[in-house]
């Protein structure tokens, strides 16, 4: 997933057509913000899923033990 986001960022940066250093910095900043937000979203989903799996597993083990 991370590799895909980086590839998208590089392609977007390359084809953005920025002609000045300021334009490149602005585009890179925008791209980094998008990638950072998507990474944070993906991490939150991963944490939630892992937490749910842990809770279900813990409950099943308790059921078996009792």
């Amino acid at each position: 997933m991370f590799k895909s986001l980086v590839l998208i960022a590089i392609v977007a940066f390359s084809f953005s057509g920025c002609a000045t250093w300021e334009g490149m910095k602005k585009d890179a900043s925008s791209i980094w913000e998008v990638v950072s937000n998507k990474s944070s979203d993906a991490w939150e989903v991963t944490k939630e899923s892992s937490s749910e799996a842990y809770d279900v597993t813990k409950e099943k083990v308790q059921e078996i033990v009792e």
Side-chain angles (χ1 to χ4, degrees):
M1 169 114 178
F2 182 71
K3 289 181 182 181
S4 298
L5 292 175
V6 170
L7 180 60
I8 290 170
I10 290 171
V11 170
F13 182 74
S14 299
F15 292 107
S16 64
C18 29
T20 65
W21 178 247
E22 292 299 318
M24 290 191 317
K25 289 192 323 186
K26 181 181 175 191
D27 287 350
S29 176
S30 298
I31 291 168
W32 180 252
E33 185 177 335
V34 170
V35 169
S36 178
N37 290 340
K38 292 294 181 184
S39 295
S40 294
D41 294 344
W43 175 246
E44 288 301 318
V45 170
T46 301
K47 281 191 340 186
E48 290 172 9
S49 298
S50 297
S51 179
E52 289 174 14
Y54 174 80
D55 292 341
V56 169
T57 303
K58 186 176 177 181
E59 289 174 8
K60 294 299 179 185
V61 167
Q62 286 177 350
E63 287 176 10
I64 291 171
V65 170
E66 294 174 352

